[in-house]
Amino acid sequence: MHRDFWHNSPIKENNKNDGTQDRLLLMALIYMLLKDGGDSELILALVYITFIGSMLIANDMALLTFLPLGYLVLSTTGKTKYMAFTYIMQNIAANLGGMLTPFGNPQNLYLYTEFSIPTMEFMGIMVIPFVLAVALI
């Protein structure tokens, strides 16, 4: 049975989504990650997106968002043997990314608001421990 995508689009049906678009988007993402690279590029992409995400939202929220994405991508591609390593690296990335910005983790947010530290000054203070942590890992 042929389905006319635009005629039955979720936008026209008051945003009713059967998951088809989500699966297509995920498959496109996986294809883009795997087309020129291999397993390491896929894992690095998942780790980097978690790292960057934790700078913009709290590290806990980044993990709640990107660990399931890692599971979905790795299980869809049959790379479940890398699941534990990827989760560990995503956790490290979330904590490292979160330590750099004032809103990256709850402790930083408390210090940032309680002592009224300007954003750039806060990041300047945290860059030394950040670089040290990255170097140690």
Side-chain angles (χ1 to χ4, degrees):
M1 180 174 197
H2 184 283
R3 178 177 179 216
D4 181 26
F5 181 76
W6 295 111
H7 178 68
N8 295 321
S9 84
I11 296 169
K12 289 186 178 182
E13 294 179 7
N14 297 323
N15 291 329
K16 293 178 187 172
N17 188 350
D18 65 356
T20 303
Q21 286 182 330
D22 297 338
R23 286 190 296 277
L24 289 173
L25 182 62
L26 178 63
M27 289 297 141
L29 172 68
I30 292 170
Y31 173 75
M32 288 181 350
L33 291 173
L34 291 177
K35 71 177 180 176
D36 293 327
D39 300 342
S40 59
E41 285 81 5
L42 180 66
I43 293 168
L44 278 173
L46 291 168
V47 171
Y48 284 144
I49 196 169
T50 306
F51 176 75
I52 293 167
S54 68
M55 289 183 188
L56 305 173
I57 57 178
N59 58 359
D60 298 334
M61 294 308 297
L63 288 172
L64 286 172
T65 303
F66 298 117
L67 285 178
L69 176 67
Y71 171 80
L72 194 57
V73 168
L74 292 172
S75 62
T76 303
T77 57
K79 312 274 187 217
T80 55
K81 65 182 178 181
Y82 301 117
M83 193 85 61
F85 176 74
T86 304
Y87 279 5
I88 291 166
M89 295 306 293
Q90 283 181 293
N91 275 284
I92 292 169
N95 284 297
L96 285 176
M99 75 183 286
L100 189 59
T101 60
F103 32 85
N105 67 45
Q107 298 84 359
N108 287 0
L109 191 56
Y110 171 76
L111 294 171
Y112 176 72
T113 55
E114 183 67 25
F115 298 105
S116 302
I117 305 170
T119 304
M120 293 312 289
E121 183 180 343
F122 185 92
M123 291 176 75
I125 293 167
M126 293 306 293
V127 77
I128 294 170
F130 172 78
V131 169
L132 244 143
V134 170
L136 288 173
I137 291 176

